[in-house]
Amino acid sequence: MLTHPQFDPVALAIGPVAIHWYGLMYLLAFFQFIALGRWRIRQGQAPMNAEQLDDLLFYGVLGVIVGGRLGQVLFYEPAHYLANPLEILAVWKGGMSFHGGFLGVLVAMTLWARKTRLPWLAVTDFIAPLVPLGLAAGRVGNFINGELWGRITDTSLPWAMVFPQSGSFEPRHPSQLYHVALEGLALFALLWLLTARPRPTGFASGVFLIGYGAFRFITEFFREPDHGIFGQSYLVSMGQWLSLPMILAGIALIVFACRKKSL
């Protein structure tokens, strides 16, 4: 049985300025987005140029931060943030909802597509394979912070881990790393391979929705459920409820993309 290393959440402190690991993981996510995006542009696999990619990232960053934080506030902890409204701004402490960030990015991509007059689905298809590694980086940040720990498990599990931050010394699943493996690495590999050759418009976006939704639904079985707006449930968690519409939307999008191609 392992024990969480209890990392210092501050990676570097210079006087009163503290640089947190969680923030560095977000910077890493944005860097890999630009690196992979520019590679695809050089390969002629993009509906935009490098300058437009930089502008797209700016819109995406705003969508992730604003949407992710508001999602955490509205979906998971409305009572806490209503009592402590100034903490809404403390994003460096963690507490970002993927589903909120996802909705924020959709809004940002809609605005950007209208600005550039590029087809919205062509834009989302392009960014779909660029996102999972960034999600993996964010989950590494969760692990470093010792947050979003897993459900209690048996000590016979070789990688069972004690998270003192949980308030108990019972062995738990290191669910943050399960998220890294499935929603990050596995989803990246799937999308990168599928988009290596041309696909119908909307196909990659649909695969992302199904892939993330399904992988998140699975990992939620090993993660300590969050206290969402419906309360804490070990049967169907808030994360699973929010993932179901993604799966359904992804199926509909793939059907739409394939039918449109056949017409």
Side-chain angles (χ1 to χ4, degrees):
M1 187 171 64
L2 307 173
T3 301
H4 184 265
Q6 300 285 279
F7 298 103
D8 186 341
V10 177
L12 178 65
I14 305 175
V17 178
I19 301 174
H20 291 246
W21 284 109
Y22 196 74
L24 288 178
M25 291 301 103
Y26 268 75
L27 288 178
L28 178 61
F30 300 144
F31 173 80
Q32 66 83 34
F33 180 94
I34 285 291
L36 292 178
R38 288 186 175 177
W39 186 89
R40 290 228 143 165
I41 289 171
R42 290 195 298 270
Q43 301 301 311
Q45 300 175 338
M48 65 194 71
N49 56 40
E51 183 178 346
Q52 288 176 315
L53 178 66
D54 294 341
D55 192 39
L56 175 67
L57 177 62
F58 175 75
Y59 275 72
V61 169
L62 290 179
V64 166
I65 295 176
V66 176
R69 196 57 169 175
L70 289 179
Q72 184 71 20
V73 172
L74 298 175
F75 298 151
Y76 292 100
E77 301 179 271
H80 172 78
Y81 287 107
L82 183 62
N84 305 276
L86 290 180
E87 288 193 19
I88 295 175
L89 302 177
V91 294
W92 57 87
K93 293 183 179 180
M96 299 284 282
S97 162
F98 165 81
H99 296 93
F102 174 72
L103 293 175
V105 168
L106 287 184
V107 172
M109 294 305 98
T110 300
L111 295 174
W112 189 83
R114 290 183 63 181
K115 171 188 173 183
T116 58
R117 298 183 179 179
L118 288 172
W120 182 68
L121 280 178
V123 174
T124 58
D125 280 352
F126 172 71
I127 68 173
L130 310 182
V131 171
L133 289 184
L135 299 179
R139 293 306 186 189
V140 170
N142 293 144
F143 181 76
I144 291 174
N145 283 353
E147 60 191 3
L148 306 184
W149 48 78
R151 303 187 187 195
I152 295 171
T153 186
D154 194 273
T155 54
S156 61
L157 186 70
W159 55 85
M161 183 172 290
V162 172
F163 287 88
Q165 301 95 323
S166 69
S168 76
F169 289 90
E170 297 178 275
R172 296 177 179 272
H173 288 281
S175 56
Q176 310 95 326
L177 303 183
Y178 299 176
H179 286 293
V180 171
L182 291 180
E183 302 157 19
L185 302 180
L187 185 57
F188 168 75
L190 175 64
L191 283 164
W192 198 259
L193 290 173
L194 284 176
T195 56
R197 62 186 182 88
R199 301 285 181 180
T201 302
F203 184 85
S205 300
V207 171
F208 175 86
L209 290 171
I210 296 172
Y212 180 87
F215 286 146
R216 177 66 182 269
F217 200 91
I218 292 169
T219 52
E220 284 285 325
F221 284 116
F222 302 96
R223 171 176 164 175
E224 184 73 12
D226 296 295
H227 290 271
I229 55 176
F230 302 132
Q232 187 180 39
S233 171
Y234 284 83
L235 182 61
V236 181
S237 70
M238 188 65 195
Q240 289 172 319
W241 281 119
L242 293 171
S243 295
L244 285 175
M246 293 184 68
I247 297 172
L248 296 176
I251 293 172
L253 195 51
I254 288 179
V255 170
F256 167 79
C258 294
R259 283 185 176 179
K260 188 176 180 181
K261 181 183 179 183
S262 63
L263 293 177

